[in-house]
Amino acid sequence: MPPMSQAAPTPPEPSPAQKGRVPKTVWDLVFTLVIPILILSPNILGSGISVAEQVFGGGTAGNVRAYLLAALIPVAYVLWDLLVNRNVSPVALIGGAGAIFSGALAFWYVDGFWYAIKDSARSYLTGLLFLISAATSVPLFRVFLDASSIGESPEHRAATQRAMRDPGVHRSLAQATVVFAVVDLIGGVVNSVVNYARVTAKFGTDDFNAQVAAVNALMRIPGLLITLVGVAVAIWLVNRAVTARYGAGASLFEPGKLLERMRERGEPVA
């Protein structure tokens, strides 16, 4: 933050194309939540229109097709975004693999208890993979933090890489990975409980699709909050270790200060 006596530089005016561009988070919400809910709804916004009825002919077959379409549109969106942006980072690849896993599970036609398990299967798998990785030399939370530093200058990136190789910081990365995994598993259990309580209709019926849509809408914000809690605690653990190792103000998220602390201690960065 600049001193109070100095005026902050005025950012350049965005181009007309940038002004009219829809934020990616909005597209994420549209393709992973809004469109699937509309497809599953037996009465879209009270209009009397149903994708299962008007598009797929109704009945069990129509409801199943509508369910598959609603489940596969988010998968197609994630994979399309991955290919268009040509993002082959580990984080993007993990997201793509998770999308494919979710798409495959869409063809597992179950209801009741097993649907509740299926709807949280991605969280359970992610949590398990994070737990396993915590015992390796590359805990997965480090992969996420490493991806966030890709856009840094070579010097700053070298500083964050050196910090993450420090034994004490590495231990905190393993602990953070375990925390993230446990919170993700807890989120999966909560989601399963809610689905088991609210998705009670038989698979392939109008009521089943409507209940799935309602739970998807209900759990989006709580699910996000649970994930954010896990991320916040994990980041706190890592930053505490970095500060203990390199001094006050050192943080993986402020590589300039981290580099400064390393130089003050006379430590090589590369």
Side-chain angles (χ1 to χ4, degrees), residues 109-155:
Y109 299 157
V110 290
D111 47 39
F113 173 80
W114 287 113
Y115 174 77
I117 296 299
K118 182 182 85 166
D119 197 62
S120 298
R122 186 171 177 176
S123 292
Y124 296 145
L125 178 62
T126 301
L128 180 61
L129 290 176
F130 268 72
L131 282 177
I132 293 172
S133 76
T136 71
S137 60
V138 187
L140 280 175
F141 197 73
R142 172 177 176 167
V143 174
F144 280 78
L145 293 181
D146 186 52
S148 69
S149 69
I150 289 176
E152 297 171 357
S153 67
E155 196 174 30

mmCIF file of all heavy atoms in Angstrom, residues 109-155:
data_model
loop_
_atom_site.group_PDB
_atom_site.id
_atom_site.type_symbol
_atom_site.label_atom_id
_atom_site.label_comp_id
_atom_site.label_asym_id
_atom_site.label_seq_id
_atom_site.Cartn_x
_atom_site.Cartn_y
_atom_site.Cartn_z
ATOM 1 N N TYR A 109 -26.597 -45.797 -12.281
ATOM 2 C CA TYR A 109 -27.991 -45.447 -12.007
ATOM 3 C C TYR A 109 -28.416 -45.998 -10.646
ATOM 4 O O TYR A 109 -28.792 -47.168 -10.521
ATOM 5 C CB TYR A 109 -28.904 -45.997 -13.096
ATOM 6 C CG TYR A 109 -28.619 -45.468 -14.484
ATOM 7 C CD1 TYR A 109 -29.016 -46.185 -15.612
ATOM 8 C CD2 TYR A 109 -27.956 -44.268 -14.676
ATOM 9 C CE1 TYR A 109 -28.771 -45.710 -16.888
ATOM 10 C CE2 TYR A 109 -27.687 -43.780 -15.935
ATOM 11 C CZ TYR A 109 -28.101 -44.514 -17.046
ATOM 12 O OH TYR A 109 -27.837 -44.031 -18.309
ATOM 13 N N VAL A 110 -28.342 -45.169 -9.633
ATOM 14 C CA VAL A 110 -28.709 -45.579 -8.280
ATOM 15 C C VAL A 110 -29.522 -44.477 -7.618
ATOM 16 O O VAL A 110 -29.539 -43.324 -8.067
ATOM 17 C CB VAL A 110 -27.456 -45.878 -7.426
ATOM 18 C CG1 VAL A 110 -26.768 -47.147 -7.883
ATOM 19 C CG2 VAL A 110 -26.481 -44.693 -7.453
ATOM 20 N N ASP A 111 -30.191 -44.838 -6.551
ATOM 21 C CA ASP A 111 -30.899 -43.847 -5.742
ATOM 22 C C ASP A 111 -30.688 -44.177 -4.272
ATOM 23 O O ASP A 111 -29.931 -45.093 -3.935
ATOM 24 C CB ASP A 111 -32.394 -43.794 -6.101
ATOM 25 C CG ASP A 111 -33.023 -45.175 -6.177
ATOM 26 O OD1 ASP A 111 -32.668 -46.030 -5.332
ATOM 27 O OD2 ASP A 111 -33.845 -45.421 -7.073
ATOM 28 N N GLY A 112 -31.316 -43.429 -3.389
ATOM 29 C CA GLY A 112 -31.196 -43.689 -1.960
ATOM 30 C C GLY A 112 -29.773 -43.565 -1.444
ATOM 31 O O GLY A 112 -29.042 -42.638 -1.791
ATOM 32 N N PHE A 113 -29.363 -44.533 -0.625
ATOM 33 C CA PHE A 113 -28.050 -44.498 0.023
ATOM 34 C C PHE A 113 -26.915 -44.419 -0.984
ATOM 35 O O PHE A 113 -25.984 -43.621 -0.831
ATOM 36 C CB PHE A 113 -27.887 -45.739 0.911
ATOM 37 C CG PHE A 113 -26.506 -45.888 1.481
ATOM 38 C CD1 PHE A 113 -26.119 -45.161 2.591
ATOM 39 C CD2 PHE A 113 -25.587 -46.758 0.901
ATOM 40 C CE1 PHE A 113 -24.838 -45.295 3.117
ATOM 41 C CE2 PHE A 113 -24.306 -46.905 1.420
ATOM 42 C CZ PHE A 113 -23.929 -46.168 2.536
ATOM 43 N N TRP A 114 -26.973 -45.248 -2.027
ATOM 44 C CA TRP A 114 -25.862 -45.291 -2.963
ATOM 45 C C TRP A 114 -25.775 -44.018 -3.801
ATOM 46 O O TRP A 114 -24.685 -43.604 -4.199
ATOM 47 C CB TRP A 114 -25.952 -46.530 -3.852
ATOM 48 C CG TRP A 114 -25.599 -47.764 -3.102
ATOM 49 C CD1 TRP A 114 -26.418 -48.806 -2.769
ATOM 50 C CD2 TRP A 114 -24.316 -48.070 -2.531
ATOM 51 N NE1 TRP A 114 -25.736 -49.735 -2.033
ATOM 52 C CE2 TRP A 114 -24.443 -49.321 -1.867
ATOM 53 C CE3 TRP A 114 -23.085 -47.426 -2.501
ATOM 54 C CZ2 TRP A 114 -23.383 -49.919 -1.203
ATOM 55 C CZ3 TRP A 114 -22.026 -48.016 -1.837
ATOM 56 C CH2 TRP A 114 -22.177 -49.252 -1.202
ATOM 57 N N TYR A 115 -26.914 -43.358 -4.052
ATOM 58 C CA TYR A 115 -26.825 -42.066 -4.740
ATOM 59 C C TYR A 115 -26.125 -41.039 -3.833
ATOM 60 O O TYR A 115 -25.315 -40.236 -4.302
ATOM 61 C CB TYR A 115 -28.200 -41.535 -5.143
ATOM 62 C CG TYR A 115 -28.078 -40.147 -5.721
ATOM 63 C CD1 TYR A 115 -27.623 -39.968 -7.028
ATOM 64 C CD2 TYR A 115 -28.318 -39.010 -4.942
ATOM 65 C CE1 TYR A 115 -27.428 -38.698 -7.548
ATOM 66 C CE2 TYR A 115 -28.125 -37.742 -5.450
ATOM 67 C CZ TYR A 115 -27.683 -37.594 -6.758
ATOM 68 O OH TYR A 115 -27.475 -36.337 -7.266
ATOM 69 N N ALA A 116 -26.460 -41.076 -2.530
ATOM 70 C CA ALA A 116 -25.823 -40.148 -1.592
ATOM 71 C C ALA A 116 -24.309 -40.350 -1.571
ATOM 72 O O ALA A 116 -23.544 -39.381 -1.485
ATOM 73 C CB ALA A 116 -26.407 -40.338 -0.193
ATOM 74 N N ILE A 117 -23.868 -41.611 -1.647
ATOM 75 C CA ILE A 117 -22.434 -41.893 -1.706
ATOM 76 C C ILE A 117 -21.863 -41.425 -3.045
ATOM 77 O O ILE A 117 -20.802 -40.796 -3.102
ATOM 78 C CB ILE A 117 -22.174 -43.396 -1.511
ATOM 79 C CG1 ILE A 117 -22.619 -43.835 -0.116
ATOM 80 C CG2 ILE A 117 -20.691 -43.712 -1.731
ATOM 81 C CD1 ILE A 117 -21.906 -43.152 1.023
ATOM 82 N N LYS A 118 -22.571 -41.722 -4.136
ATOM 83 C CA LYS A 118 -22.085 -41.356 -5.469
ATOM 84 C C LYS A 118 -21.904 -39.846 -5.611
ATOM 85 O O LYS A 118 -20.914 -39.385 -6.186
ATOM 86 C CB LYS A 118 -23.069 -41.858 -6.536
ATOM 87 C CG LYS A 118 -22.607 -41.571 -7.955
ATOM 88 C CD LYS A 118 -23.625 -42.037 -8.993
ATOM 89 C CE LYS A 118 -24.693 -40.986 -9.236
ATOM 90 N NZ LYS A 118 -25.479 -41.293 -10.454
ATOM 91 N N ASP A 119 -22.830 -39.083 -5.077
ATOM 92 C CA ASP A 119 -22.768 -37.630 -5.260
ATOM 93 C C ASP A 119 -21.573 -37.016 -4.530
ATOM 94 O O ASP A 119 -21.158 -35.908 -4.860
ATOM 95 C CB ASP A 119 -24.068 -36.987 -4.766
ATOM 96 C CG ASP A 119 -24.232 -35.572 -5.289
ATOM 97 O OD1 ASP A 119 -24.312 -35.395 -6.522
ATOM 98 O OD2 ASP A 119 -24.261 -34.627 -4.462
ATOM 99 N N SER A 120 -21.035 -37.731 -3.537
ATOM 100 C CA SER A 120 -19.863 -37.235 -2.808
ATOM 101 C C SER A 120 -18.593 -38.000 -3.162
ATOM 102 O O SER A 120 -17.545 -37.767 -2.545
ATOM 103 C CB SER A 120 -20.103 -37.326 -1.296
ATOM 104 O OG SER A 120 -21.185 -36.519 -0.903
ATOM 105 N N ALA A 121 -18.680 -38.916 -4.121
ATOM 106 C CA ALA A 121 -17.536 -39.783 -4.422
ATOM 107 C C ALA A 121 -16.299 -38.988 -4.823
ATOM 108 O O ALA A 121 -15.167 -39.365 -4.479
ATOM 109 C CB ALA A 121 -17.909 -40.774 -5.526
ATOM 110 N N ARG A 122 -16.501 -37.902 -5.533
ATOM 111 C CA ARG A 122 -15.345 -37.097 -5.960
ATOM 112 C C ARG A 122 -14.622 -36.507 -4.750
ATOM 113 O O ARG A 122 -13.386 -36.480 -4.714
ATOM 114 C CB ARG A 122 -15.813 -35.987 -6.903
ATOM 115 C CG ARG A 122 -14.685 -35.177 -7.510
ATOM 116 C CD ARG A 122 -15.218 -34.262 -8.583
ATOM 117 N NE ARG A 122 -14.197 -33.405 -9.142
ATOM 118 C CZ ARG A 122 -14.402 -32.571 -10.158
ATOM 119 N NH1 ARG A 122 -15.591 -32.502 -10.722
ATOM 120 N NH2 ARG A 122 -13.426 -31.814 -10.605
ATOM 121 N N SER A 123 -15.380 -36.047 -3.748
ATOM 122 C CA SER A 123 -14.768 -35.523 -2.524
ATOM 123 C C SER A 123 -14.026 -36.619 -1.778
ATOM 124 O O SER A 123 -12.922 -36.407 -1.262
ATOM 125 C CB SER A 123 -15.832 -34.914 -1.607
ATOM 126 O OG SER A 123 -16.373 -33.742 -2.175
ATOM 127 N N TYR A 124 -14.629 -37.812 -1.716
ATOM 128 C CA TYR A 124 -13.976 -38.923 -1.029
ATOM 129 C C TYR A 124 -12.674 -39.311 -1.730
ATOM 130 O O TYR A 124 -11.652 -39.564 -1.075
ATOM 131 C CB TYR A 124 -14.910 -40.128 -0.968
ATOM 132 C CG TYR A 124 -16.168 -39.898 -0.165
ATOM 133 C CD1 TYR A 124 -17.375 -40.482 -0.535
ATOM 134 C CD2 TYR A 124 -16.157 -39.085 0.972
ATOM 135 C CE1 TYR A 124 -18.535 -40.270 0.204
ATOM 136 C CE2 TYR A 124 -17.308 -38.869 1.706
ATOM 137 C CZ TYR A 124 -18.498 -39.466 1.317
ATOM 138 O OH TYR A 124 -19.637 -39.258 2.056
ATOM 139 N N LEU A 125 -12.704 -39.357 -3.059
ATOM 140 C CA LEU A 125 -11.502 -39.729 -3.808
ATOM 141 C C LEU A 125 -10.415 -38.670 -3.642
ATOM 142 O O LEU A 125 -9.238 -38.992 -3.423
ATOM 143 C CB LEU A 125 -11.840 -39.915 -5.287
ATOM 144 C CG LEU A 125 -10.652 -40.271 -6.196
ATOM 145 C CD1 LEU A 125 -10.042 -41.596 -5.780
ATOM 146 C CD2 LEU A 125 -11.097 -40.321 -7.659
ATOM 147 N N THR A 126 -10.801 -37.398 -3.743
ATOM 148 C CA THR A 126 -9.835 -36.311 -3.586
ATOM 149 C C THR A 126 -9.200 -36.343 -2.205
ATOM 150 O O THR A 126 -7.982 -36.224 -2.050
ATOM 151 C CB THR A 126 -10.513 -34.947 -3.814
ATOM 152 O OG1 THR A 126 -11.067 -34.901 -5.129
ATOM 153 C CG2 THR A 126 -9.517 -33.808 -3.642
ATOM 154 N N GLY A 127 -10.038 -36.521 -1.180
ATOM 155 C CA GLY A 127 -9.527 -36.584 0.178
ATOM 156 C C GLY A 127 -8.549 -37.733 0.368
ATOM 157 O O GLY A 127 -7.501 -37.575 1.001
ATOM 158 N N LEU A 128 -8.873 -38.885 -0.203
ATOM 159 C CA LEU A 128 -7.993 -40.050 -0.088
ATOM 160 C C LEU A 128 -6.653 -39.802 -0.780
ATOM 161 O O LEU A 128 -5.589 -40.109 -0.231
ATOM 162 C CB LEU A 128 -8.682 -41.273 -0.692
ATOM 163 C CG LEU A 128 -7.894 -42.588 -0.652
ATOM 164 C CD1 LEU A 128 -7.595 -42.982 0.786
ATOM 165 C CD2 LEU A 128 -8.669 -43.694 -1.365
ATOM 166 N N LEU A 129 -6.696 -39.214 -1.980
ATOM 167 C CA LEU A 129 -5.456 -38.934 -2.708
ATOM 168 C C LEU A 129 -4.580 -37.936 -1.956
ATOM 169 O O LEU A 129 -3.352 -38.076 -1.913
ATOM 170 C CB LEU A 129 -5.782 -38.408 -4.108
ATOM 171 C CG LEU A 129 -6.390 -39.418 -5.083
ATOM 172 C CD1 LEU A 129 -6.753 -38.739 -6.399
ATOM 173 C CD2 LEU A 129 -5.428 -40.579 -5.330
ATOM 174 N N PHE A 130 -5.206 -36.924 -1.349
ATOM 175 C CA PHE A 130 -4.444 -35.944 -0.574
ATOM 176 C C PHE A 130 -3.800 -36.607 0.641
ATOM 177 O O PHE A 130 -2.640 -36.327 0.974
ATOM 178 C CB PHE A 130 -5.345 -34.782 -0.152
ATOM 179 C CG PHE A 130 -5.340 -33.635 -1.107
ATOM 180 C CD1 PHE A 130 -5.957 -33.732 -2.343
ATOM 181 C CD2 PHE A 130 -4.718 -32.439 -0.785
ATOM 182 C CE1 PHE A 130 -5.952 -32.678 -3.238
ATOM 183 C CE2 PHE A 130 -4.710 -31.375 -1.668
ATOM 184 C CZ PHE A 130 -5.324 -31.495 -2.901
ATOM 185 N N LEU A 131 -4.549 -37.483 1.319
ATOM 186 C CA LEU A 131 -3.996 -38.166 2.482
ATOM 187 C C LEU A 131 -2.788 -39.015 2.097
ATOM 188 O O LEU A 131 -1.763 -39.014 2.789
ATOM 189 C CB LEU A 131 -5.064 -39.047 3.132
ATOM 190 C CG LEU A 131 -6.104 -38.341 4.005
ATOM 191 C CD1 LEU A 131 -7.139 -39.351 4.506
ATOM 192 C CD2 LEU A 131 -5.451 -37.622 5.182
ATOM 193 N N ILE A 132 -2.893 -39.740 0.999
ATOM 194 C CA ILE A 132 -1.780 -40.580 0.547
ATOM 195 C C ILE A 132 -0.572 -39.720 0.184
ATOM 196 O O ILE A 132 0.572 -40.034 0.537
ATOM 197 C CB ILE A 132 -2.210 -41.435 -0.660
ATOM 198 C CG1 ILE A 132 -3.260 -42.469 -0.223
ATOM 199 C CG2 ILE A 132 -1.015 -42.130 -1.301
ATOM 200 C CD1 ILE A 132 -3.886 -43.227 -1.367
ATOM 201 N N SER A 133 -0.830 -38.608 -0.508
ATOM 202 C CA SER A 133 0.283 -37.750 -0.954
ATOM 203 C C SER A 133 1.023 -37.106 0.213
ATOM 204 O O SER A 133 2.198 -36.758 0.099
ATOM 205 C CB SER A 133 -0.228 -36.661 -1.895
ATOM 206 O OG SER A 133 -0.903 -35.629 -1.182
ATOM 207 N N ALA A 134 0.329 -36.936 1.363
ATOM 208 C CA ALA A 134 0.961 -36.294 2.521
ATOM 209 C C ALA A 134 2.155 -37.099 3.028
ATOM 210 O O ALA A 134 3.055 -36.553 3.672
ATOM 211 C CB ALA A 134 -0.059 -36.105 3.645
ATOM 212 N N ALA A 135 2.162 -38.391 2.721
ATOM 213 C CA ALA A 135 3.264 -39.243 3.159
ATOM 214 C C ALA A 135 4.382 -39.326 2.128
ATOM 215 O O ALA A 135 5.375 -40.021 2.345
ATOM 216 C CB ALA A 135 2.744 -40.650 3.459
ATOM 217 N N THR A 136 4.256 -38.602 1.024
ATOM 218 C CA THR A 136 5.269 -38.625 -0.023
ATOM 219 C C THR A 136 6.115 -37.361 0.013
ATOM 220 O O THR A 136 5.891 -36.468 0.836
ATOM 221 C CB THR A 136 4.610 -38.753 -1.412
ATOM 222 O OG1 THR A 136 3.938 -37.525 -1.741
ATOM 223 C CG2 THR A 136 3.606 -39.908 -1.426
ATOM 224 N N SER A 137 7.056 -37.280 -0.910
ATOM 225 C CA SER A 137 7.913 -36.085 -0.982
ATOM 226 C C SER A 137 7.212 -34.906 -1.644
ATOM 227 O O SER A 137 7.708 -33.786 -1.596
ATOM 228 C CB SER A 137 9.195 -36.416 -1.764
ATOM 229 O OG SER A 137 8.883 -36.825 -3.086
ATOM 230 N N VAL A 138 6.060 -35.155 -2.255
ATOM 231 C CA VAL A 138 5.317 -34.074 -2.916
ATOM 232 C C VAL A 138 3.869 -34.094 -2.442
ATOM 233 O O VAL A 138 2.973 -34.609 -3.121
ATOM 234 C CB VAL A 138 5.364 -34.206 -4.457
ATOM 235 C CG1 VAL A 138 4.721 -32.976 -5.105
ATOM 236 C CG2 VAL A 138 6.790 -34.376 -4.945
ATOM 237 N N PRO A 139 3.595 -33.544 -1.246
ATOM 238 C CA PRO A 139 2.202 -33.449 -0.799
ATOM 239 C C PRO A 139 1.401 -32.570 -1.766
ATOM 240 O O PRO A 139 1.921 -31.566 -2.267
ATOM 241 C CB PRO A 139 2.313 -32.814 0.588
ATOM 242 C CG PRO A 139 3.667 -32.194 0.640
ATOM 243 C CD PRO A 139 4.538 -32.976 -0.274
ATOM 244 N N LEU A 140 0.170 -32.948 -2.025
ATOM 245 C CA LEU A 140 -0.591 -32.272 -3.081
ATOM 246 C C LEU A 140 -0.879 -30.808 -2.783
ATOM 247 O O LEU A 140 -1.055 -30.020 -3.713
ATOM 248 C CB LEU A 140 -1.904 -33.016 -3.333
ATOM 249 C CG LEU A 140 -1.780 -34.270 -4.203
ATOM 250 C CD1 LEU A 140 -3.100 -35.003 -4.296
ATOM 251 C CD2 LEU A 140 -1.276 -33.897 -5.592
ATOM 252 N N PHE A 141 -0.913 -30.416 -1.509
ATOM 253 C CA PHE A 141 -1.143 -28.996 -1.245
ATOM 254 C C PHE A 141 0.026 -28.167 -1.747
ATOM 255 O O PHE A 141 -0.145 -27.020 -2.155
ATOM 256 C CB PHE A 141 -1.372 -28.738 0.246
ATOM 257 C CG PHE A 141 -2.010 -27.405 0.522
ATOM 258 C CD1 PHE A 141 -3.346 -27.202 0.234
ATOM 259 C CD2 PHE A 141 -1.281 -26.355 1.052
ATOM 260 C CE1 PHE A 141 -3.946 -25.965 0.468
ATOM 261 C CE2 PHE A 141 -1.864 -25.128 1.288
ATOM 262 C CZ PHE A 141 -3.213 -24.930 0.997
ATOM 263 N N ARG A 142 1.224 -28.757 -1.761
ATOM 264 C CA ARG A 142 2.378 -28.053 -2.336
ATOM 265 C C ARG A 142 2.167 -27.844 -3.831
ATOM 266 O O ARG A 142 2.549 -26.811 -4.380
ATOM 267 C CB ARG A 142 3.669 -28.837 -2.109
ATOM 268 C CG ARG A 142 4.822 -28.208 -2.861
ATOM 269 C CD ARG A 142 6.150 -28.859 -2.664
ATOM 270 N NE ARG A 142 7.145 -28.222 -3.511
ATOM 271 C CZ ARG A 142 8.445 -28.397 -3.404
ATOM 272 N NH1 ARG A 142 8.929 -29.203 -2.474
ATOM 273 N NH2 ARG A 142 9.285 -27.782 -4.217
ATOM 274 N N VAL A 143 1.559 -28.824 -4.501
ATOM 275 C CA VAL A 143 1.305 -28.687 -5.938
ATOM 276 C C VAL A 143 0.406 -27.485 -6.201
ATOM 277 O O VAL A 143 0.635 -26.711 -7.136
ATOM 278 C CB VAL A 143 0.655 -29.981 -6.486
ATOM 279 C CG1 VAL A 143 0.246 -29.808 -7.945
ATOM 280 C CG2 VAL A 143 1.622 -31.153 -6.341
ATOM 281 N N PHE A 144 -0.617 -27.300 -5.361
ATOM 282 C CA PHE A 144 -1.514 -26.160 -5.526
ATOM 283 C C PHE A 144 -0.781 -24.839 -5.296
ATOM 284 O O PHE A 144 -0.963 -23.876 -6.049
ATOM 285 C CB PHE A 144 -2.699 -26.281 -4.570
ATOM 286 C CG PHE A 144 -3.765 -27.211 -5.059
ATOM 287 C CD1 PHE A 144 -3.612 -28.581 -4.949
ATOM 288 C CD2 PHE A 144 -4.919 -26.730 -5.649
ATOM 289 C CE1 PHE A 144 -4.590 -29.450 -5.406
ATOM 290 C CE2 PHE A 144 -5.896 -27.592 -6.124
ATOM 291 C CZ PHE A 144 -5.739 -28.949 -5.994
ATOM 292 N N LEU A 145 0.041 -24.784 -4.258
ATOM 293 C CA LEU A 145 0.786 -23.557 -3.991
ATOM 294 C C LEU A 145 1.816 -23.295 -5.077
ATOM 295 O O LEU A 145 2.050 -22.139 -5.465
ATOM 296 C CB LEU A 145 1.479 -23.656 -2.628
ATOM 297 C CG LEU A 145 0.568 -23.693 -1.405
ATOM 298 C CD1 LEU A 145 1.400 -23.766 -0.130
ATOM 299 C CD2 LEU A 145 -0.350 -22.466 -1.365
ATOM 300 N N ASP A 146 2.428 -24.346 -5.585
ATOM 301 C CA ASP A 146 3.412 -24.193 -6.650
ATOM 302 C C ASP A 146 2.747 -23.627 -7.905
ATOM 303 O O ASP A 146 3.323 -22.782 -8.590
ATOM 304 C CB ASP A 146 4.057 -25.536 -6.948
ATOM 305 C CG ASP A 146 5.191 -25.417 -7.946
ATOM 306 O OD1 ASP A 146 6.082 -24.585 -7.729
ATOM 307 O OD2 ASP A 146 5.178 -26.143 -8.962
ATOM 308 N N ALA A 147 1.537 -24.089 -8.199
ATOM 309 C CA ALA A 147 0.823 -23.586 -9.375
ATOM 310 C C ALA A 147 0.511 -22.099 -9.237
ATOM 311 O O ALA A 147 0.514 -21.362 -10.225
ATOM 312 C CB ALA A 147 -0.462 -24.381 -9.587
ATOM 313 N N SER A 148 0.261 -21.652 -8.009
ATOM 314 C CA SER A 148 -0.065 -20.237 -7.807
ATOM 315 C C SER A 148 1.137 -19.329 -8.014
ATOM 316 O O SER A 148 0.994 -18.114 -8.149
ATOM 317 C CB SER A 148 -0.634 -20.025 -6.400
ATOM 318 O OG SER A 148 0.369 -20.211 -5.422
ATOM 319 N N SER A 149 2.350 -19.902 -8.039
ATOM 320 C CA SER A 149 3.558 -19.082 -8.193
ATOM 321 C C SER A 149 4.093 -19.079 -9.628
ATOM 322 O O SER A 149 5.140 -18.486 -9.889
ATOM 323 C CB SER A 149 4.656 -19.582 -7.245
ATOM 324 O OG SER A 149 5.134 -20.848 -7.659
ATOM 325 N N ILE A 150 3.384 -19.715 -10.549
ATOM 326 C CA ILE A 150 3.869 -19.828 -11.927
ATOM 327 C C ILE A 150 4.063 -18.459 -12.571
ATOM 328 O O ILE A 150 5.004 -18.236 -13.334
ATOM 329 C CB ILE A 150 2.906 -20.699 -12.757
ATOM 330 C CG1 ILE A 150 3.014 -22.156 -12.306
ATOM 331 C CG2 ILE A 150 3.214 -20.590 -14.250
ATOM 332 C CD1 ILE A 150 2.048 -23.094 -12.996
ATOM 333 N N GLY A 151 3.195 -17.510 -12.260
ATOM 334 C CA GLY A 151 3.281 -16.188 -12.882
ATOM 335 C C GLY A 151 4.296 -15.256 -12.257
ATOM 336 O O GLY A 151 4.443 -14.111 -12.708
ATOM 337 N N GLU A 152 5.006 -15.698 -11.233
ATOM 338 C CA GLU A 152 5.977 -14.837 -10.572
ATOM 339 C C GLU A 152 7.250 -14.703 -11.404
ATOM 340 O O GLU A 152 7.497 -15.494 -12.321
ATOM 341 C CB GLU A 152 6.325 -15.417 -9.190
ATOM 342 C CG GLU A 152 5.146 -15.472 -8.230
ATOM 343 C CD GLU A 152 5.481 -16.242 -6.956
ATOM 344 O OE1 GLU A 152 6.612 -16.755 -6.872
ATOM 345 O OE2 GLU A 152 4.602 -16.343 -6.084
ATOM 346 N N SER A 153 8.056 -13.717 -11.059
ATOM 347 C CA SER A 153 9.355 -13.556 -11.720
ATOM 348 C C SER A 153 10.236 -14.739 -11.351
ATOM 349 O O SER A 153 10.027 -15.388 -10.317
ATOM 350 C CB SER A 153 10.018 -12.257 -11.258
ATOM 351 O OG SER A 153 10.372 -12.339 -9.892
ATOM 352 N N PRO A 154 11.240 -15.055 -12.196
ATOM 353 C CA PRO A 154 12.126 -16.191 -11.894
ATOM 354 C C PRO A 154 12.762 -16.102 -10.508
ATOM 355 O O PRO A 154 12.895 -17.109 -9.808
ATOM 356 C CB PRO A 154 13.175 -16.114 -13.003
ATOM 357 C CG PRO A 154 12.462 -15.462 -14.146
ATOM 358 C CD PRO A 154 11.537 -14.459 -13.510
ATOM 359 N N GLU A 155 13.145 -14.889 -10.101
ATOM 360 C CA GLU A 155 13.788 -14.713 -8.799
ATOM 361 C C GLU A 155 12.812 -14.999 -7.663
ATOM 362 O O GLU A 155 13.151 -15.686 -6.690
ATOM 363 C CB GLU A 155 14.336 -13.284 -8.679
ATOM 364 C CG GLU A 155 15.334 -13.101 -7.550
ATOM 365 C CD GLU A 155 15.950 -11.729 -7.558
ATOM 366 O OE1 GLU A 155 15.285 -10.768 -7.999
ATOM 367 O OE2 GLU A 155 17.107 -11.605 -7.126
#
